[in-house]
Amino acid sequence: MEHLGSLILVAVGAALINNFVLHYFVGICPFIGVSRRLDTAFGMGCAVTFVISIAALLSWTFTYYVLRPGAPLTSAILGKDVDLSILNYIVYIFVIASSVQLVEMYVRKFFPSLYKSFGVYLPLITTNCAILFACLEIMKHVSGANPSEIWGLDKALVLAVFGGVGFTLAIVIMAGIRQELDLCDVPESLRGAGITLIVAGILAMAFMGFTGVDRNLKDAFSKNLNVPATPISSATGQPKELTYNVRQK
């Protein structure tokens, strides 16, 4: 139950509370460039989610077994503990670029119209800092963490998948708003990227409303509230004051 709760906290945090786009402001290039139409925005969100999941899987595998200090595969081959974490950035960039090439070939073959609508922004997923950000977050919880706090593959994938879901949610909301803005009388000086960044700032403030949800979820998973039936006072006939027995797991 505790492990499931930690996975849910990671998922909610990546998708809503610490949304990659609206909280950390990474991945802004495709967020602004491909958010003019709902179908294109949704396709870009799905592509980013797929790429970020594959990149997280490979980056966790390389970091855990090869790159981190005391990695089991490196230690078995070299016969001693070696820290190869200096190669993290290089490995992650190669992993992301390979994943994007796979997605690009697939979309070009099976969805040519979607490929044309993406334009230059599909190969630019390679430089989407949201994907590199997810890989670095995984690295932080694998390389620099205490042995008892090292993330497993499940947490890494949950972070990546729901980070992609959060990116998709943000870009689809932005696309819906921008389609409506085409019917509005926007001042000429704010048309294009100007009004888009203003709307992104308003969305970021709106997503701040999810702050504290993780704390409530953590309390819900870490505490067990036993609420007894309301007792009735024999003298006054009124309900007695309720007492809550909080038992820490």
Side-chain angles (χ1 to χ4, degrees), residues 30-157:
F31 178 70
I32 295 177
V34 197
S35 58
R36 297 181 180 274
R37 295 175 50 191
L38 278 172
D39 54 349
T40 307
F42 181 75
M44 174 58 71
C46 293
V48 169
T49 302
F50 178 79
V51 171
I52 201 172
S53 302
I54 297 299
L57 171 65
L58 296 177
S59 63
W60 181 91
T61 303
F62 280 114
T63 304
Y64 186 85
Y65 289 103
V66 179
L67 301 176
R68 70 184 178 96
L73 186 58
T74 305
S75 300
I77 294 176
L78 300 179
K80 59 181 179 179
D81 293 343
V82 179
D83 185 4
L84 298 179
S85 57
I86 192 174
L87 302 176
N88 282 335
Y89 283 86
I90 299 175
V91 172
Y92 296 161
I93 290 173
F94 273 111
V95 164
I96 294 171
S98 303
S99 304
V100 171
Q101 289 300 315
L102 177 64
V103 172
E104 186 176 358
M105 291 187 295
Y106 180 82
V107 173
R108 181 190 298 175
K109 181 174 180 61
F110 295 101
F111 302 99
S113 60
L114 185 62
Y115 176 79
K116 292 180 180 178
S117 65
F118 282 158
V120 70
Y121 292 100
L122 184 58
L124 278 181
I125 296 179
T126 304
T127 59
N128 188 342
C129 48
I131 302 175
L132 181 60
F133 176 80
C135 295
L136 294 179
E137 279 293 303
I138 294 171
M139 179 199 72
K140 182 176 69 177
H141 290 91
V142 174
S143 293
N146 296 327
S148 60
E149 299 177 353
I150 290 179
W151 275 17
L153 180 59
D154 50 356
K155 280 190 178 182
L157 288 179

Side-chain angles (χ1 to χ4, degrees), residues 156-171:
L157 288 179
V158 166
L159 173 72
V161 171
F162 282 90
V165 169
F167 178 88
T168 304
L169 179 64
I171 197 173

Side-chain angles (χ1 to χ4, degrees), residues 35-39 41 169-182 199 203:
S35 58
R36 297 181 180 274
R37 295 175 50 191
L38 278 172
D39 54 349
L169 179 64
I171 197 173
V172 166
I173 293 175
M174 175 60 77
I177 294 175
R178 291 186 71 177
Q179 284 188 349
E180 296 296 327
L181 285 176
D182 291 338
V199 173
L203 280 177

Side-chain angles (χ1 to χ4, degrees), residues 195-206:
I195 191 64
T196 303
L197 291 175
I198 292 175
V199 173
I202 297 173
L203 280 177
M205 289 189 292

